Amino acid sequence: MDKTPRGLLAAAFAALLLGGCAYQPGPVERLPDDPGALLEQARQQEPERAAISRLEAADILARQGQRTQALAIAAELDDRRLPDDQRLRWAMLLSELGEAEGDPSAVIQAGQLLGEIDLPRDAGLILRERQGKALAEIGEHRAAAESLMRVQSHTDRDVLNETIWASLTRLERSELDAMRDGADELTLGWLTLAGLVRDSGGDVQRLSERLETWRERNVRHPAARRVPSDLAALRELRGQQVQHIAVFLPESGPLASVAEAIRDGMRAHHQATAERNGGVRLTFLDASHGNLDMLYEEARSRGAQVVIGPLDKDQITELENRDQVPLPTLGLNYGHGETNRARGLFQYGLSAEDEARQVARRGREDGHRRSALLIPDNEWGNRVGRAFEREWRRLDGTVTNVVAYNPGGSATESTRRALAGGRPDMLFLLALPSYARQVPPTLEYYDAAGLPIYATSHLFEGRPQPLLDHDLDAVNFLDIPWQIPDAAVGGVEALPYADSYRQLRSDADPSVFRLMAMGVDAYELARRLPQFQLMPDSQLFGATGTLVPAADGRIQRHLPWARFERGVPQPILTIDLFGSDPLGNGGAHLPNGELIEDGRLDAPVD
């Protein structure tokens, strides 16, 4: 049998035509050919007949090329009113339209039919493949990979390799391990391959050798026959292993204490991974007064291949306005420009604006539309508030009120004002712990205890304090994995670089721990700069989040979410897209700035 999508589709629709006689309108009920007449007729019909009329109208519109209108009609009709053969026809039409029109939610809606009725084999495979690709589009990567691997196990189609691999590389170690339970041979092969990459630690030569060994042992696996493109590209990186890193950090001046914490994290991780890193050298150069060109000249003369730093925002801005940098560089802040123009320059930092944008996305994903903002009345608060507001409005959210509060004052009046601007269905909170703890009790006082609160990492000091933080119960916030190991990955053992975590955590001041984690990730990112330049879709599961370079080289962090319960951060389950388990994969799954202000080292650096 033809196993191509076209062959599967033809077979599926042949089955539909053969099985489509379950309901045939009689002479009096013959359906008109005009979609407008069908829709008008549906308004007068019983629900079961109306659903068939609407499906027929959607099908005619789709064949006439009016796909947007057809998609809207198919998505809105109640498929439960259709007989099973017509439900299959509906699901195939809706998933095809959703895929063509770039609407993954419609494809997922159609995919709910899987498991509800008996489907012809080929139609079921088509529907499951479309569903898997749609799940990948919305970031549900575990469900996407499982769905597509299930299709591949029945078809052996290696054309699915790229999408499967893209989803697997975005999963945490704990999720990959959980997928091994009851997995078939094909899935185990994929998971082993993903593990090889995850354990490589940036050692390209070692990874290439282990990849070849895996292919020899799994010659019949689809990924052995057709290696995912980013893995195939590793051959070009042989001989480009990073062995010497120059670090530009200030030893004096206003950023010296920040630089010291980053430097401590970097050094500790370098020592902890000495056996794995293959003898990488670190050379620290004082960036307090030196001009950047002189620093690069010194780095070159010492044999450095890549650079970490500088930290100063103005120096980063100077670099990002160049055409290129002398050596591949990981700046430890973000420049003032809208984009980074310099070839070879990457930018990475603990950006509060990044967190605000993620809060906006999470709020909309959770179904909220109207948000109030409670932000500090200073430049930092204004900047982070703007980042949230822009992303929120981009996602069609409405801002009911923006309240800028005095960080040294009481939260009573500012919280009341946040409620007075309209009827928000969520509150975005940017606050340090002492202020944040006042907000939930104040909401309760104003009869708004049920208003969901979404916050950045700044409200959590980094260590469990149930007696102090119990007032934050039910508050949702995001933070780096190293600060919330139980909520982020299920415990310390599953953390990225757990040995370095234990060493640094044992005697670190919580106020600088995030910066130490930043130093760890800066070290790991620097070792991968050649890989990022060659494979822009690469990412790093790090101490400060999942780190992904944007098209202009700015590293974007994706952070795990937690919710306070009894004063302690706990994990948040992902949204159940289906209400059950339509994939047949065993149920629902777990998910998986800036730097000195207001007395904290994780407030902004400018």
Side-chain angles (χ1 to χ4, degrees):
M1 178 181 291
D2 183 3
K3 298 295 186 181
T4 66
R6 187 180 298 276
L8 289 174
L9 191 60
F13 278 105
L16 289 176
L17 290 172
L18 291 173
C21 300
Y23 174 80
Q24 291 289 341
V28 178
E29 301 173 300
R30 183 175 300 278
L31 298 176
D33 295 328
D34 176 28
L38 282 164
L39 295 173
E40 182 61 34
Q41 178 177 296
R43 294 190 180 95
Q44 314 300 323
Q45 293 175 322
E46 294 294 321
E48 288 75 11
R49 300 290 172 82
I52 292 175
S53 295
R54 292 189 177 100
L55 175 58
E56 189 67 26
D59 186 55
I60 293 171
L61 287 167
R63 285 186 273 112
Q64 291 176 347
Q66 300 182 57
R67 288 179 169 271
T68 302
Q69 187 177 356
L71 175 61
I73 294 168
E76 291 174 5
L77 72 82
D78 185 356
D79 67 287
R80 293 169 298 179
R81 300 289 186 176
L82 295 168
D84 284 356
D85 63 315
Q86 297 296 320
R87 286 191 80 189
L88 174 56
R89 180 187 175 201
W90 163 82
M92 299 302 287
L93 176 64
L94 180 60
S95 63
E96 180 186 5
L97 289 170
E99 190 172 66
E101 295 298 297
D103 186 351
S105 63
V107 181
I108 293 168
Q109 178 186 353
Q112 294 184 61
L113 197 64
L114 293 164
E116 292 187 10
I117 67 172
D118 292 330
L119 301 178
R121 177 185 181 277
D122 289 343
L125 289 171
I126 292 170
L127 192 54
R128 196 176 297 279
E129 179 177 337
R130 289 173 179 170
Q131 183 191 58
K133 292 176 178 177
L135 287 165
E137 285 187 55
I138 66 169
E140 292 291 332
H141 291 295
R142 176 174 174 181
E146 289 176 324
S147 186
L148 293 173
M149 287 189 294
R150 186 166 175 180
V151 172
Q152 193 173 65
S153 69
H154 288 284
T155 64
D156 202 36
R157 291 175 54 224
D158 56 22
V159 72
L160 298 176
N161 286 4
E162 295 294 333
T163 310
I164 291 172
W165 182 246
S167 285
L168 288 175
T169 58
R170 283 159 175 77
L171 296 180
E172 300 282 356
R173 163 66 71 184
S174 58
E175 293 178 288
L176 292 172
D177 291 342
M179 289 171 66
R180 290 184 172 274
D181 293 340
D184 60 17
E185 185 176 353
L186 180 137
T187 299
L188 288 174
W190 276 115
L191 296 177
T192 300
L193 185 59
L196 294 181
V197 175
R198 186 64 53 81
D199 296 338
S200 68
D203 188 332
V204 175
Q205 183 64 36
R206 180 186 177 206
L207 176 57
S208 297
E209 293 169 357
R210 296 180 72 185
L211 174 60
E212 290 305 316
T213 300
W214 179 90
R215 292 184 68 189
E216 291 170 4
R217 294 175 178 174
N218 298 270
V219 290
R220 300 180 62 185
H221 195 280
R225 300 195 309 266
R226 184 172 180 170
V227 178
S229 57
D230 62 346
L231 288 178
L234 286 173
R235 296 186 182 93
E236 298 181 36
L237 288 175
R238 289 181 177 177
Q240 299 184 44
Q241 189 89 355
V242 173
Q243 295 294 330
H244 191 168
I245 302 170
V247 184
F248 299 169
L249 285 174
E251 296 179 5
S252 60
L255 298 178
S257 57
V258 175
E260 182 180 5
I262 294 173
R263 191 184 295 112
D264 288 346
M266 204 178 299
R267 281 175 168 155
H269 185 61
H270 177 63
Q271 293 169 1
T273 59
E275 183 176 345
R276 176 174 63 83
N277 66 32
V280 172
R281 290 180 56 198
L282 285 177
T283 297
F284 291 90
L285 301 176
D286 185 5
S288 303
H289 309 292
N291 127 344
L292 288 174
D293 290 326
M294 292 178 61
L295 287 169
Y296 275 111
E297 185 178 343
E298 177 69 12
R300 277 187 184 279
S301 69
R302 297 199 184 193
Q305 298 161 278
V306 302
V307 167
I308 296 175
L311 176 62
D312 181 81
K313 200 175 188 74
D314 290 336
Q315 289 183 317
I316 296 291
T317 302
E318 178 186 338
L319 290 178
E320 74 179 0
N321 287 324
R322 299 185 180 190
D323 292 331
Q324 66 180 44
V325 289
L327 289 171
T329 300
L330 178 71
L332 296 178
N333 210 325
Y334 298 94
H336 295 292
E338 289 295 321
T339 60
N340 166 39
R341 300 189 317 177
R343 293 193 305 274
L345 175 64
F346 294 82
Q347 300 176 27
Y348 161 63
L350 305 184
S351 168
E353 287 100 317
D354 261 1
E355 294 188 20
R357 286 185 281 267
Q358 288 178 69
V359 172
R361 292 192 289 271
R362 178 66 188 234
R364 289 295 286 121
E365 287 169 4
D366 287 353
H368 303 301
R369 296 189 62 87
R370 297 168 57 82
S371 180
L373 281 68
L374 199 53
I375 59 175
D377 187 11
N378 52 38
E379 194 276 333
W380 178 60
N382 292 337
R383 194 170 69 241
V384 178
R386 283 195 303 271
F388 173 88
E389 190 170 352
R390 287 173 182 168
E391 185 71 3
W392 185 253
R393 293 189 188 279
R394 187 186 71 81
L395 298 170
D396 297 323
T398 299
V399 173
T400 61
N401 202 4
V402 179
V403 176
Y405 64 84
N406 175 6
S410 166
T412 304
E413 177 60 18
S414 59
T415 304
R416 183 195 66 77
R417 287 165 48 211
L419 297 172
R423 297 178 60 86
D425 58 18
M426 69 164 275
L427 173 67
F428 169 59
L429 176 62
L430 176 67
L432 298 179
S434 60
Y435 193 92
R437 293 176 186 128
Q438 302 176 53
V439 175
T442 306
L443 287 175
E444 184 174 2
Y445 176 79
Y446 287 118
D447 296 323
L451 182 67
I453 301 175
Y454 291 74
T456 62
S457 63
H458 303 85
L459 88 170
F460 182 49
E461 290 186 359
R463 60 182 183 273
Q465 300 180 94
L467 293 179
L468 283 175
D469 289 337
H470 74 278
D471 281 334
L472 293 172
D473 280 357
V475 173
N476 307 292
F477 73 102
L478 73 178
D479 207 338
I480 68 172
W482 270 25
Q483 290 283 49
I484 51 170
D486 292 331
V489 294
V492 170
E493 295 301 324
L495 280 176
Y497 321 123
D499 290 342
S500 296
Y501 167 87
R502 292 189 191 92
Q503 178 181 342
L504 290 166
R505 190 70 174 185
S506 61
D507 55 2
D509 186 320
S511 65
V512 301
F513 189 62
R514 287 186 180 89
L515 297 175
M516 291 179 170
M518 181 180 169
V520 169
D521 279 352
Y523 178 87
E524 291 291 339
L525 286 168
R527 297 186 63 219
R528 291 166 172 80
L529 288 191
Q531 177 181 335
F532 285 159
Q533 289 178 301
L534 181 65
M535 298 180 288
D537 292 334
S538 299
Q539 58 186 334
L540 172 69
F541 290 87
T544 62
T546 300
L547 309 178
V548 184
D552 67 349
R554 291 185 173 181
I555 304 294
Q556 299 176 341
R557 292 185 305 139
H558 301 284
L559 302 180
W561 281 88
R563 177 181 291 128
F564 281 100
E565 294 179 12
R566 297 183 180 180
V568 177
Q570 298 293 337
I572 300 177
L573 294 177
T574 53
I575 302 168
D576 185 354
L577 294 172
F578 311 106
S580 58
D581 183 29
L583 298 179
N585 289 322
H589 306 308
L590 290 174
N592 307 67
E594 308 204 71
L595 302 164
I596 302 182
E597 185 168 296
D598 295 327
R600 276 181 48 145
L601 287 176
D602 53 358
V605 164
D606 285 314

